[in-house]
Amino acid sequence: MTPKTRSRARGAAIALPFLSLFVLALAGPAAAQNKAPQDTSIDPQLFQPAIGPQNFLTVEGAQVPDHKRLSFGLSLNYQQRPYTVFTLGAAPGETHVIDNQLTGELDAAIGLFGKYQFGIGLPFTPYLDGDEISPMGVPANLHLTESGIGDLRLEGKAHLATLGDDDQYDLAISAGLTLPTGHTGGRDYLGDKTVTGRIKAIATLEVGPMRAAANLGLLIRETSDAFATELGPQILYGAAAAYAVDKKTDVILEMFGRSGLNQF
């Protein structure tokens, strides 16, 4: 009997400074035929730090740095079992295609004219491991290990307006692209197979020691197929709030996610 497979993932994040819990994955059913499509250009790392200062974690704020002011950032995160294939039928089971992944990202940004920000982000994965899977969706009894850089990100942000009696509201827009540096050289699960583009609307509210922001955007990319799962263009969304305990410490609560356009 031909086994059926299902690839599942779900994502959300609640974060405090220096403490982040990430449950990340991609969702969708899959069914294997004699030989199913099995792209390895699926990037399971959904945590992409917001580039530049005055942001939250992954959620962007509308503010931009002063003219010619530079900022740098380094983030580290770990996720477990973000990509699992479930096999149904006569021999049900599951394969953790990616079991453990440790990822970091180095970011840099510069402000221009008090209205714009240009930034760059380079992710790197020092360690990724999991289990190889056959085209039939069953374990291949081979161990997968991978490491290397991910897809280089280039982004720009423009501050559009400050509103409200106390200038408490700010609006901005950001746009960017990624280059497929993670998938070059035959490396698996570190990036997309082509250039991707994204655009995002940003709104920020600041009242006293509290800040809040919401992001809504669109990610455009070529579809990657793994069994019957199609990972293509997605809606990007996120919301965050922060409370300034003192001048150098914020307590942050954040949620973010993605949803495939074919789900609407």
Side-chain angles (χ1 to χ4, degrees):
M1 182 177 182
T2 303
K4 296 181 179 178
T5 63
R6 184 178 60 200
S7 166
R8 183 176 63 190
R10 314 182 192 277
I14 296 178
L16 296 174
F18 314 111
L19 176 61
S20 299
L21 173 64
F22 302 103
V23 182
L24 305 173
L26 307 169
Q33 307 272 331
N34 291 332
K35 187 175 181 180
Q38 193 178 347
D39 283 343
T40 59
S41 56
I42 292 177
D43 185 0
Q45 183 54 263
L46 305 186
F47 179 76
Q48 293 184 336
I51 297 175
Q54 303 182 70
N55 292 312
F56 297 82
L57 295 176
T58 69
V59 172
E60 295 185 62
Q63 292 80 8
V64 297
D66 294 335
H67 183 53
K68 294 185 179 180
R69 175 165 291 183
L70 292 169
S71 69
F72 300 92
L74 175 64
S75 64
L76 296 171
N77 73 86
Y78 166 81
Q79 60 179 351
Q80 186 177 49
R81 297 180 179 175
Y83 184 20
T84 299
V85 172
F86 297 87
T87 304
L88 306 177
E94 60 184 59
T95 303
H96 304 300
V97 181
I98 299 176
D99 200 12
N100 301 281
Q101 183 176 12
L102 177 65
T103 305
E105 181 166 311
L106 180 63
D107 299 327
I110 184 171
L112 293 175
F113 312 112
K115 292 185 177 181
Y116 307 102
Q117 172 190 287
F118 292 94
I120 183 171
L122 181 62
F124 56 92
T125 295
Y127 182 76
L128 179 152
D129 78 334
D131 296 317
E132 297 275 7
I133 190 169
S134 76
M136 295 293 292
V138 296
N141 297 320
L142 296 172
H143 192 63
L144 168 70
T145 58
E146 197 61 86
S147 63
I149 63 172
D151 287 350
L152 182 69
R153 270 196 301 153
L154 303 172
E155 290 187 356
K157 181 164 62 174
H159 181 265
L160 300 178
T162 298
L163 305 171
D165 295 337
D166 298 319
D167 294 338
Q168 68 269 39
Y169 302 107
D170 286 280
L171 301 176
I173 188 169
S174 70
L177 56 84
T178 65
L179 305 179
T181 50
H183 198 58
T184 57
R187 293 191 298 268
D188 296 334
Y189 306 113
L190 296 184
D192 282 281
K193 55 188 175 185
T194 61
V195 174
T196 75
R198 65 191 66 200
I199 187 168
K200 192 182 298 180
I202 305 165
T204 301
L205 167 67
E206 185 168 358
V207 179
M210 296 193 66
R211 295 185 300 133
N215 295 174
L216 182 63
L218 179 64
L219 170 63
I220 301 296
R221 62 181 170 193
E222 184 177 336
T223 298
S224 293
D225 298 295
F227 303 103
T229 297
E230 295 183 355
L231 186 64
Q234 292 180 313
I235 296 291
L236 307 175
Y237 56 88
Y243 181 83
V245 178
D246 55 44
K247 292 183 178 180
K248 295 184 178 180
T249 306
D250 284 357
V251 177
I252 299 175
L253 177 66
E254 177 178 302
M255 60 173 288
F256 66 91
R258 302 181 180 186
S259 180
L261 290 179
N262 59 0
Q263 298 176 10
F264 286 87

